[in-house]
Amino acid sequence: MLTLQKSESSKKASLLLNSISYLTIVVATIALSTANAQMFGTNANGGASQNGLGSLGALGGNGGLTGGGVINGAGGAGLGATNANAAGAVVANEPFMQNSNPLQKTYPMTPLKQNEFQKFILETSGFKLPLFGLDFFENLETNYSVRGMETPSLSLTSGAFAPLDNSPVNDDYAVGPGDQIVVRGWGSLTVDIKLTVDRNGQLSIPKIGSLNVAGVKASKLESVIKTAFSKYYKDFELSVTLGQLRSITVYVVGQARRPGSYFLSSLSTLASGLFATGGPNSNGSMRRVQLKRGGQVITEFDLYKFLTEGVSTSDVKLIDGDVIYIPPAFGYVAIVGKVNTPAVFELKSNDESLEQILKIAGGLPVVADPKKVTLERLDSSKKQTRSVEDFPLDSNGLHKTLKNGDLLTILTITPELSNAITLRGSVAQPIRVAWREGVRISDLIPNREALISRDSIRRQNETLFDSNQRERALREREMIPGDLLDDAELTARSNKPQNTNFTTLSNALVLECQNDPNQLKCKDVRDVESLRAYREGRLFKDQATNLDNNLKQNQSQTLTDRIGNLYDEINWDYAVIERLKRADLSVTLIPFNLNNVLNDQKDPDNQLLQPGDVITIFSTNDLSVPISKRRITVRVEGEISKPGVYQAKPGDTLSTIIQRAGGLTHDAYLYGAAFYRDEVRRSQLENLQKLVKRVEAESNAALLQASQSTGASTNPTAVQARVLAAQAAQKQAMDRIRNLKPEGRIALTESPDLYNRIETLPEIRLQNGDRLVIPTRPDFVYIYGAVNTESALLYKSEQTVNDYLKLSGLTASADKNTAILLRANGSALTNTGSWSNTVLSTKVMPGDSIVIPDKLDLETTWSSVIRNTVDITQIFYQLGLGAAAIKVLHP
């Protein structure tokens, strides 16, 4: 058994031969690497560090010098060379991308500037269009490599069309100088060597001799080498594969994005080489790329066909010394509007048609209007160099020949349904149907059941829901779709790390959280996802619940609130047809009586419909109707013989509804009856908000005047104390006003009477949702405010407010003159007399409340006199000093 090993003498000889031609480069390399010399490796292929610096490659046999590469650190200096046509990179202490050659430094592809035609399209049409196909090159990355001390050139290491060094080799590959051949043998011999084809095409095999393998196909290489070994050995097996392939030099000239010389893999083709070098510039042709070899044009490559159809018949294999020539583009046309790929397209010749360009653009979407295309054309030979024409996309239009500088605009179709009839509004199913001759309103609304609205059906389905089920269904129904929550600011920041603080996401949130940092969102919002979740919850909370369109209350409605409001009430007297007259584009409203249409299909209101008509059905919530035509439900509860929800008839009042409910019980207290109306509650809420704004403005003005008008006082501490006290009083008053919750109660203003006389109730016409509560007669009178005992005192007939105040006792700060008597019927009495207090002498009824406010100014008369005396004394003292000073200055 024979083991082939390289002797130390042969290693040194090979090292000497390969080092002489690169001595200058080695010296420069060592000079660049001195700072990191202590970290250099000594192995044959050069050291590599996982997180540190790469090492200087040791002098290998036929491999030359291979620089050290790193994954997460900085690469050291190195030099690699396999033959005369390949050179390593000299780059020291720079970050590298991990690739097959660790010495190559990767740089991003700089974007191209717009050419003159693109600028012209932008100025004349407002569209910023890209050059079709050039975006393919934007995904590539290029890198600089140095050959000796020459100017850096480009070399591809990664990208969509990068020819990888370890890619499979086809059988037709011809071996040439610089290719590495791996020979492994077993049996009667043991061999495992890597050999490199020299510049003469010879392969030097130890103990076998030189073998000419230049031009040998990859499929035949193993048999050729095995034949050479069989002359000396028998009974053995041999495996021959290609290792590192040779590099070839290709030149890119003309209108290239980065013209120059490139080192590419010997497996490269015209297409892969073109993409590796960055492609054409903004003026270069993508449709007539030429490959020149020995001064002759070998092939002309159309990148449009390659990118749009995958046609690569003109793609040929590159060899060393090939020239890729990119000529200027023949001409450009632009297509905007409804086309699948709006862009600037290159013309290949003078006879290219619109159909061919549209095919390159991916065709037209279904929303494109083929009936009309506008063409703007430039013609420098005419006086008016720019003209416009339009034509349909029929056979003649598609075969229209385009010229350099053309701009085509493809319009969108008009999405009008000219033959449709639409039914909308308070109906079970809003629909759009095709118009036909003789169709009438009754054909779209065959019966009254078709007018049960979807909200009514939903409320019917939810009659058995508990509060949790209703909340769950409402949240799912009212949740805002995710696409409506999308926000340009969030989308732009969505690629940031998940721990990004919310202050970088939204300036509005920052300001809001600064004003109120205790909000939940200011603690939980930390990234885009949590911010979106917060917005969903906030927007859901702000939406109308729509649980009851009549009452418009929140989710806390009781069972009685929903009785009588299950179905939306239809406006039977009025519905309308919207009709467009196409002759003059005027709109006509044609009202009709819906009740008549459903009662008799021959009624004149059952009109013939025309194409494009829109029929709208209204509910009583959409348009207010006379109260006599509305469905009215009233809730009567308390001391009533038959409490419940009753449907009122037109003209019904409180007395009639009480009688329908069976009358009052013997414990009823009609004087204290509470009558509530939702309309009044909403009005009270609006007025309360206006009151808060007005009182706040007036209070601020009064405080400002008080702080500026100090009068004769020269004691700033006292003035400041008075202002602060006024501010505290204002804040307390504003807080009390804001905490008021309007109930919508209407004071019935009956005369004080212990007896229940229904005929004394005011004649109030009832409305839907009204609520009447008859309480039990109370036995107490309530006293609040500046009294010694805030409690409920037993009611005694013929007792006045003053009598009850004597029983409860007043505090030192009580302001008896401002006493308020809150009546059980909802009214209130205050003192309006100048000489006597009418409230104190008023007789109190059961359930009344007496409120005694505190005095606003607690300063005693004696304290006021002393303070004013001191202030006046100081003033006279200052005047005396001033007079004395004047006398001294003017004797």
Side-chain angles (χ1 to χ4, degrees):
M1 181 179 300
L2 176 64
T3 301
L4 297 180
Q5 294 180 343
K6 204 167 197 177
S7 64
E8 290 298 325
S9 59
S10 62
K11 288 183 180 180
K12 294 179 180 179
S14 178
L15 170 64
L16 181 59
L17 292 174
N18 289 317
S19 301
I20 292 175
S21 60
Y22 301 104
L23 181 57
T24 304
I25 301 175
V26 171
V27 172
T29 303
I30 296 174
L32 290 172
S33 307
T34 302
N36 298 319
Q38 68 273 16
M39 304 185 70
F40 289 166
T42 57
N43 54 67
N45 292 318
S49 171
Q50 180 72 16
N51 294 299
L53 297 175
S55 61
L56 176 65
L59 298 179
N62 292 318
L65 297 172
T66 304
V70 296
I71 296 177
N72 297 317
L79 177 65
T82 57
N83 52 55
N85 294 323
V90 181
V91 183
N93 298 323
E94 293 287 353
F96 297 126
M97 292 185 61
Q98 184 179 5
N99 49 50
S100 59
N101 189 347
L103 290 176
Q104 292 174 328
K105 179 182 176 183
T106 300
Y107 293 87
M109 187 75 72
T110 57
L112 284 175
K113 296 181 179 179
Q114 290 187 327
N115 60 28
E116 294 302 322
F117 184 68
Q118 289 177 287
K119 295 177 182 178
F120 175 78
I121 295 299
L122 179 60
E123 293 174 358
T124 56
S125 66
F127 292 99
K128 186 177 181 180
L129 299 178
L131 283 173
F132 179 79
L134 280 186
D135 57 342
F136 241 80
F137 298 96
E138 303 299 330
N139 297 326
L140 303 178
E141 293 175 343
T142 58
N143 47 33
Y144 287 101
S145 61
V146 180
R147 182 179 181 181
M149 301 303 291
E150 298 174 2
T151 304
S153 60
L154 284 170
S155 178
L156 184 79
T157 58
S158 62
F161 292 88
L164 302 177
D165 292 335
N166 57 355
S167 59
V169 178
N170 56 42
D171 292 341
D172 293 334
Y173 179 77
V175 177
D179 285 338
Q180 186 183 68
I181 299 175
V182 180
V183 181
R184 293 182 178 89
W186 59 94
S188 61
L189 60 84
T190 299
V191 60
D192 188 357
I193 56 176
K194 295 180 180 180
L195 306 172
T196 302
V197 181
D198 61 20
R199 65 184 61 187
N200 296 320
Q202 299 293 320
L203 189 66
S204 298
I205 306 175
K207 297 186 179 182
I208 299 297
S210 296
L211 182 64
N212 189 359
V213 295
V216 176
K217 302 296 184 182
S219 58
K220 304 293 185 181
L221 182 60
E222 182 174 328
S223 62
V224 171
I225 296 179
K226 190 173 183 180
T227 301
F229 271 89
S230 63
K231 295 179 181 179
Y232 302 96
Y233 302 97
K234 295 181 179 180
D235 300 329
F236 68 92
E237 295 294 333
L238 204 66
S239 172
V240 179
T241 58
L242 288 172
Q244 185 73 31
L245 301 180
R246 67 184 183 275
S247 297
I248 61 174
T249 302
V250 176
Y251 303 94
V252 180
V253 297
Q255 300 296 321
R257 191 170 189 175
R258 288 176 175 174
S261 61
Y262 293 83
F263 297 111
L264 303 176
S265 168
S266 57
L267 296 177
S268 300
T269 64
L270 176 58
S272 62
L274 185 65
F275 279 94
T277 58
N281 60 23
S282 55
N283 294 311
S285 174
M286 296 185 64
R287 310 195 63 183
R288 298 183 298 117
V289 179
Q290 297 178 359
L291 175 62
K292 295 187 177 183
R293 185 176 299 164
Q296 301 295 323
V297 177
I298 301 301
T299 185
E300 189 173 87
F301 191 61
D302 189 345
L303 275 170
Y304 276 17
K305 286 188 176 181
F306 180 76
L307 296 177
T308 59
E309 304 176 28
V311 176
S312 58
T313 54
S314 300
D315 189 20
V316 298
K317 196 171 184 180
L318 298 176
I319 65 173
D320 191 59
D322 278 351
V323 177
I324 299 176
Y325 171 66
I326 303 177
F330 178 82
Y332 294 106
V333 296
I335 302 181
V336 298
K338 293 304 175 181
V339 63
N340 286 329
T341 310
V344 172
F345 298 89
E346 179 187 346
L347 289 176
K348 191 173 183 179
S349 62
N350 279 324
D351 56 353
E352 201 151 16
S353 67
L354 175 57
E355 184 178 22
Q356 292 173 297
I357 297 298
L358 287 178
K359 184 178 180 181
I360 295 173
L364 300 178
V366 68
V367 295
D369 187 1
K371 295 187 294 296
K372 190 174 183 180
V373 173
T374 61
L375 171 63
E376 300 177 26
R377 174 158 291 178
L378 299 176
D379 191 348
S380 58
S381 62
K382 295 182 179 180
K383 184 177 180 180
Q384 296 293 335
T385 58
R386 190 178 176 204
S387 60
V388 63
E389 59 178 296
D390 55 75
F391 55 89
L393 283 180
D394 53 12
S395 178
N396 294 330
L398 290 174
H399 288 86
K400 189 176 185 63
T401 302
L402 299 180
K403 294 184 178 180
N404 185 20
D406 284 351
L407 169 61
L408 291 103
T409 304
I410 299 177
L411 305 178
T412 183
I413 60 174
T414 303
E416 181 190 10
L417 291 171
S418 57
N419 68 330
I421 303 173
T422 304
L423 175 65
R424 66 175 182 176
S426 185
V427 294
Q429 184 65 54
I431 57 173
R432 180 179 287 123
V433 297
W435 175 85
R436 65 181 184 275
E437 191 72 33
V439 64
R440 294 181 178 271
I441 298 175
S442 59
D443 295 323
L444 272 71
I445 311 175
N447 49 51
R448 296 179 187 271
E449 292 181 358
L451 300 178
I452 301 177
S453 67
R454 298 182 67 87
D455 284 338
S456 299
I457 297 173
R458 174 184 54 79
R459 288 193 290 270
Q460 182 185 23
N461 292 331
E462 293 178 357
T463 51
L464 298 180
F465 284 10
D466 59 23
S467 58
N468 293 328
Q469 291 171 318
R470 188 173 295 106
E471 167 73 17
R472 188 180 299 112
L474 174 63
R475 182 174 292 273
E476 181 66 25
R477 182 173 63 253
E478 300 292 342
M479 187 60 68
I480 300 178
D483 58 331
L484 299 182
L485 286 171
D486 284 340
D487 174 291
E489 180 182 8
L490 297 181
T491 303
R493 303 178 187 270
S494 61
N495 293 327
K496 290 205 170 187
Q498 293 301 311
N499 59 355
T500 300
N501 191 276
F502 77 95
T503 55
T504 64
L505 294 176
S506 173
N507 293 331
L509 268 181
V510 176
L511 181 61
E512 194 172 351
C513 290
Q514 286 176 350
N515 296 333
D516 189 1
N518 296 322
Q519 300 179 78
L520 178 62
K521 61 187 173 184
C522 300
K523 302 176 182 178
D524 293 344
V525 175
R526 287 295 180 270
D527 50 38
V528 173
E529 287 73 18
S530 58
L531 180 58
R532 284 173 57 83
Y534 156 72
R535 292 179 67 199
E536 284 185 349
R538 173 175 58 82
L539 293 174
F540 164 76
K541 178 186 65 177
D542 293 342
Q543 292 181 93
T545 60
N546 293 326
L547 284 177
D548 192 306
N549 291 329
N550 293 319
L551 296 179
K552 297 182 180 178
Q553 293 180 349
N554 57 22
Q555 299 176 61
S556 61
Q557 286 182 315
T558 63
L559 181 61
T560 53
D561 290 328
R562 295 192 290 271
I563 293 179
N565 298 299
L566 189 61
Y567 298 98
D568 289 335
E569 189 175 2
I570 302 298
N571 186 343
W572 300 105
D573 296 327
Y574 177 84
V576 68
I577 302 173
E578 294 178 75
R579 179 169 294 168
L580 175 66
K581 187 178 180 181
R582 297 182 179 275
D584 55 1
L585 294 184
S586 61
V587 177
T588 304
L589 299 183
I590 306 174
F592 63 92
N593 188 298
L594 186 59
N595 214 5
N596 295 339
V597 171
L598 295 175
N599 290 335
D600 184 7
Q601 293 187 1
K602 296 182 180 180
D603 192 273
D605 279 327
N606 190 17
Q607 301 188 35
L608 283 171
L609 300 177
Q610 296 182 8
D613 283 354
V614 177
I615 304 172
T616 304
I617 307 300
F618 298 95
S619 69
T620 55
N621 297 317
D622 300 319
L623 288 174
S624 296
V625 299
I627 192 171
S628 60
K629 296 183 178 182
R630 297 202 60 163
R631 182 179 64 226
I632 300 175
T633 56
V634 179
R635 188 170 73 179
V636 184
E637 53 187 309
E639 293 298 327
I640 297 291
S641 298
K642 295 182 290 183
V645 179
Y646 292 90
Q647 187 167 359
K649 299 177 181 178
D652 280 352
T653 60
L654 291 176
S655 57
T656 57
I657 205 70
I658 290 176
Q659 293 175 357
R660 192 176 303 163
L664 304 175
T665 65
H666 67 281
D667 294 322
Y669 184 45
L670 189 60
Y671 179 73
F675 182 62
Y676 301 95
R677 178 168 289 176
D678 189 66
E679 179 184 356
V680 175
R681 182 188 64 82
R682 293 196 299 270
S683 178
Q684 289 175 342
L685 184 60
E686 294 176 0
N687 292 333
L688 179 62
Q689 293 173 350
K690 296 179 182 177
L691 176 64
V692 169
K693 294 180 180 179
R694 185 176 71 252
V695 172
E696 192 171 20
E698 293 175 353
S699 300
N700 291 335
L703 287 174
L704 180 61
Q705 182 179 5
S707 62
Q708 295 177 350
S709 303
T710 58
S713 176
T714 59
N715 188 348
T717 304
V719 173
Q720 183 178 9
R722 293 178 61 188
V723 172
L724 292 177
Q727 288 178 345
Q730 177 203 13
K731 185 177 184 303
Q732 292 178 359
M734 295 303 300
D735 290 341
R736 285 195 296 267
I737 295 177
R738 289 191 178 97
N739 291 331
L740 293 176
K741 295 182 179 180
E743 297 179 344
R745 181 176 180 180
I746 300 175
L748 299 181
T749 64
E750 307 104 308
S751 299
D753 196 345
L754 294 177
Y755 300 98
N756 297 326
R757 295 184 175 90
I758 297 179
E759 63 274 7
T760 63
L761 289 174
E763 297 292 325
I764 299 178
R765 292 184 179 274
L766 300 177
Q767 293 185 9
N768 188 41
D770 286 349
R771 183 164 65 98
L772 178 63
V773 181
I774 308 296
T776 304
R777 175 181 170 178
D779 296 324
F780 304 97
V781 174
Y782 306 94
I783 301 181
Y784 306 100
V787 294
N788 293 329
T789 303
E790 286 188 342
S791 61
L793 302 178
L794 288 174
Y795 168 76
K796 294 181 181 180
S797 59
E798 302 300 326
Q799 294 287 319
T800 64
V801 172
N802 199 28
D803 295 333
Y804 282 102
L805 291 180
K806 292 178 182 178
L807 293 176
S808 62
L810 299 176
T811 63
S813 62
D815 190 357
K816 189 176 180 181
N817 293 327
T818 59
I820 303 172
L821 178 61
L822 300 178
R823 288 294 197 181
N825 65 352
S827 62
L829 296 180
T830 57
N831 182 28
T832 57
S834 302
W835 303 101
S836 62
N837 194 327
T838 57
V839 175
L840 298 178
S841 60
T842 303
K843 293 182 180 180
V844 180
M845 294 291 293
D848 286 353
S849 298
I850 302 172
V851 181
I852 304 298
D854 291 318
K855 292 180 180 179
L856 296 179
D857 189 1
L858 299 179
E859 187 178 18
T860 62
T861 304
W862 175 253
S863 175
S864 177
V865 171
I866 295 298
R867 175 173 53 79
N868 292 331
T869 302
V870 171
D871 292 340
I872 293 173
T873 302
Q874 289 180 351
I875 291 173
F876 283 121
Y877 176 73
Q878 296 294 337
L879 290 175
L881 290 178
I886 293 173
K887 186 175 182 180
V888 171
L889 294 175
H890 301 281

